[in-house]
Amino acid sequence: MVSISLPNHSLPSLLPTHKPKNLSSQNLPILSKSSRSQFYGLKFSHSSSLSIPSSSSSVKTTIFAKVNKGQVPPSFTLKDQDGKMVSLSKFKGKPVVVYFYPADESPSCTKQACAFRDSYEKFKKAGAEVVGISGDDPSSHKAFAKNNRLPFTLLSDKGNKVRKEWGVPADLFGALPGRQTYVLDKKGMVQLIYNNQFQPEKHIDETLKLLQSL
């Protein structure tokens, strides 16, 4: 029999707490609901059970390389807000701004998306495409684009696979998905990487400045 106790002060303001009954080494029900905070797009989720591996089980860890300036990042094919598959290779031959953001409809992510929208004509004048990526599903992206009249592509990175492959760093000790923008040139090579979680509108200024120099 294995006994596990949880500290009473664990995320008190963000997650509902329940007293577990009859803890066993196989299934430990801890939480019955998921909770979500609008703090910069922070989402909390959990599984309904906790399994304790036996001493004979092994844990596999995957390490992803970080994409650096001057490199060609890993390609991807993801669903857009209309459910269509979109590949990074589609944009080859023109500059493309790929920005990763935490979540649809959160205050800071909405502010950033609307700033890209308001400067969209400047991006078009520079011959560049704008692509936003988060872990939200296509239906969430569709509503987000409609609510804020977004004229550019939003892609659904289910499981944050592409985010991990590109090495986008998280914030708040890993609890908050990072807000990072990449500018790729016509050859698909990274010319700018800009990270700023708490000043989302600065991403637009920095990317336009770089695009105008290409």
Side-chain angles (χ1 to χ4, degrees):
M1 179 71 70
V2 176
S3 176
I4 290 183
S5 60
L6 297 176
N8 295 328
H9 60 274
S10 298
L11 300 177
S13 62
L14 295 176
L15 296 176
T17 59
H18 296 269
K19 292 183 179 179
K21 297 180 180 179
N22 300 324
L23 299 183
S24 69
S25 62
Q26 295 180 352
N27 270 326
L28 300 176
I30 297 176
L31 297 168
S32 61
K33 296 181 180 179
S34 63
S35 173
R36 174 173 178 169
S37 166
Q38 286 297 314
F39 177 72
Y40 295 105
L42 180 59
K43 288 184 177 179
F44 290 92
S45 61
H46 53 81
S47 60
S48 59
S49 64
L50 174 64
S51 297
I52 301 176
S54 64
S55 58
S56 61
S57 64
S58 60
V59 178
K60 294 182 179 180
T61 302
T62 302
I63 300 176
F64 296 95
K66 179 181 178 182
V67 172
N68 294 306
K69 182 179 177 181
Q71 295 181 336
V72 175
S75 187
F76 58 72
T77 300
L78 300 171
K79 285 186 179 181
D80 68 7
Q81 62 262 51
D82 296 316
K84 298 178 181 177
M85 302 304 292
V86 176
S87 298
L88 179 62
S89 58
K90 170 187 174 181
F91 305 105
K92 198 165 185 179
K94 63 176 68 175
V96 58
V97 177
V98 178
Y99 81 96
F100 291 86
Y101 64 99
D104 293 338
E105 305 294 357
S106 67
S108 289
C109 296
T110 300
K111 184 181 292 186
Q112 182 182 23
C114 290
F116 271 114
R117 176 200 66 198
D118 295 342
S119 296
Y120 190 63
E121 289 303 317
K122 294 180 182 178
F123 285 101
K124 286 180 65 177
K125 188 175 180 179
E129 295 284 347
V130 176
V131 178
I133 300 179
S134 79
D136 298 288
D137 62 30
S139 61
S140 175
H141 281 340
K142 191 173 184 68
F144 186 46
K146 182 179 179 180
N147 293 341
N148 297 286
R149 297 177 288 109
L150 305 181
F152 49 85
T153 299
L154 297 177
L155 298 179
S156 176
D157 182 19
K158 186 177 181 180
N160 294 315
K161 181 176 181 290
V162 176
R163 179 184 289 272
K164 293 172 184 175
E165 289 178 346
W166 285 43
V168 179
D171 294 301
L172 295 181
F173 307 102
L176 179 61
R179 188 185 307 280
Q180 187 149 292
T181 297
Y182 299 81
V183 178
L184 281 58
D185 62 18
K186 295 179 180 180
K187 296 179 180 180
M189 187 175 294
V190 175
Q191 295 299 329
L192 174 71
I193 301 174
Y194 183 74
N195 186 297
N196 193 327
Q197 181 67 258
F198 304 114
Q199 291 180 296
E201 293 166 305
K202 288 202 70 176
H203 287 252
I204 288 75
D205 298 334
E206 295 299 320
T207 53
L208 280 173
K209 190 186 302 181
L210 186 280
L211 285 168
Q212 290 164 358
S213 69
L214 289 180

